[in-house]
Amino acid sequence: ACAAALKRGATLVNRYAFGSTDAFTTDATAGMIRTPRGLRRDSATSSEEAPMTNNELLGRIRYMFDYRDAEMVAVFAAADHEVTEDQVRGWLAAEEEPTHAPLDDTELASFLNGLINHRRGKRPGPQPTPEARLTNNLVATKLKIALSLRGEDMIRILNSAGFDLSNHELSAFFRQPGHKHHRKMNDQVLRYFLRGLQMEYRPQNGP
């Protein structure tokens, strides 16, 4: 059982750890919207780069903080959302594996809400209702809140991953939809943000 767990840990590292040579296209004004099953519509990714899925996002966050399956369950529970370790393993499994299960937006929103509570403390009273549909902008907003990041922190993190962004460009991602200066965040920008967070919170590669 121990050997199997170590092998699985190594597999997750290979799948979800960003390498130092990873590069993405960077049209910051293009946007993607998630479908209920976790894939983007209106994809503006390059033909060489697959759209990011909810499962990939969950796996990269899991790797970033080196969470074990039980800790992932605890993060969900922090948002009053019960899941099992088997469910977590299914979401983290590769798509070609028979145990793979797609992660929908509501499940991912619950995890991100739980991450906020897990890292910042749970507020008393009813918990926020998880969104039925997520955008990259919402994902970035929830990560920003969970990690208590300011605008300058996000710019520094993006810069460390090799992506330059101005304060004006960053603020456009966090404006309300419908605002004339609102811009949708695409997969490439989100991947650079996740890569920078990995460099910040887990700078050394390891299972």
Side-chain angles (χ1 to χ4, degrees):
C2 182
L6 289 174
K7 181 179 180 181
R8 178 172 173 272
T11 300
L12 291 175
V13 167
N14 292 334
R15 186 178 306 136
Y16 294 120
F18 286 109
S20 59
T21 58
D22 287 344
F24 321 112
T25 56
T26 55
D27 179 6
T29 62
M32 267 69 67
I33 301 175
R34 301 171 183 280
T35 71
R37 293 189 65 81
L39 292 173
R40 302 291 198 284
R41 293 189 307 171
D42 305 325
S43 176
T45 55
S46 71
S47 59
E48 299 176 355
E49 186 179 335
M52 184 180 290
T53 66
N54 290 345
N55 297 66
E56 179 188 348
L57 254 171
L58 186 75
R60 292 199 183 282
I61 295 171
R62 177 261 179 205
Y63 175 81
M64 186 190 307
F65 297 115
D66 197 17
Y67 286 151
R68 300 304 184 237
D69 293 343
E71 293 172 297
M72 296 288 285
V73 169
V75 172
F76 276 102
D80 295 341
H81 189 78
E82 293 186 8
V83 302
T84 67
E85 291 187 28
D86 282 342
Q87 283 179 286
V88 170
R89 285 189 284 269
W91 290 325
L92 296 177
E95 289 188 16
E96 63 271 16
E97 296 177 10
T99 56
H100 172 81
L103 179 70
D104 66 28
D105 280 17
T106 301
E107 298 279 6
L108 180 59
S110 294
F111 176 79
L112 293 170
N113 291 345
L115 187 67
I116 293 171
N117 290 340
H118 184 71
R119 297 192 65 90
R120 300 192 59 168
K122 188 174 182 179
R123 292 184 178 182
Q127 296 302 300
T129 301
E131 291 83 355
R133 191 163 192 171
L134 285 175
T135 63
N136 288 340
N137 302 60
L138 275 172
V139 170
T141 297
K142 289 177 183 290
L143 289 171
K144 179 177 182 282
I145 294 170
L147 303 176
S148 303
L149 299 176
R150 298 170 297 179
E152 54 264 38
D153 298 321
M154 295 191 70
I155 290 174
R156 172 180 54 78
I157 288 167
L158 285 163
N159 287 346
S160 72
F163 187 78
D164 293 326
L165 200 69
S166 69
N167 278 311
H168 176 74
E169 291 169 324
L170 180 68
S171 65
F173 291 138
F174 299 106
R175 295 189 182 278
Q176 291 296 317
H179 190 283
K180 66 178 181 178
H181 295 305
H182 171 79
R183 292 291 182 271
K184 293 179 181 179
M185 179 181 290
N186 70 12
D187 281 8
Q188 289 80 15
V189 176
L190 183 59
R191 280 194 170 105
Y192 270 108
F193 182 46
L194 293 171
R195 178 182 177 182
L197 288 175
Q198 177 188 305
M199 295 169 67
E200 182 97 355
Y201 290 93
R202 193 174 180 182
Q204 295 181 346
N205 289 334

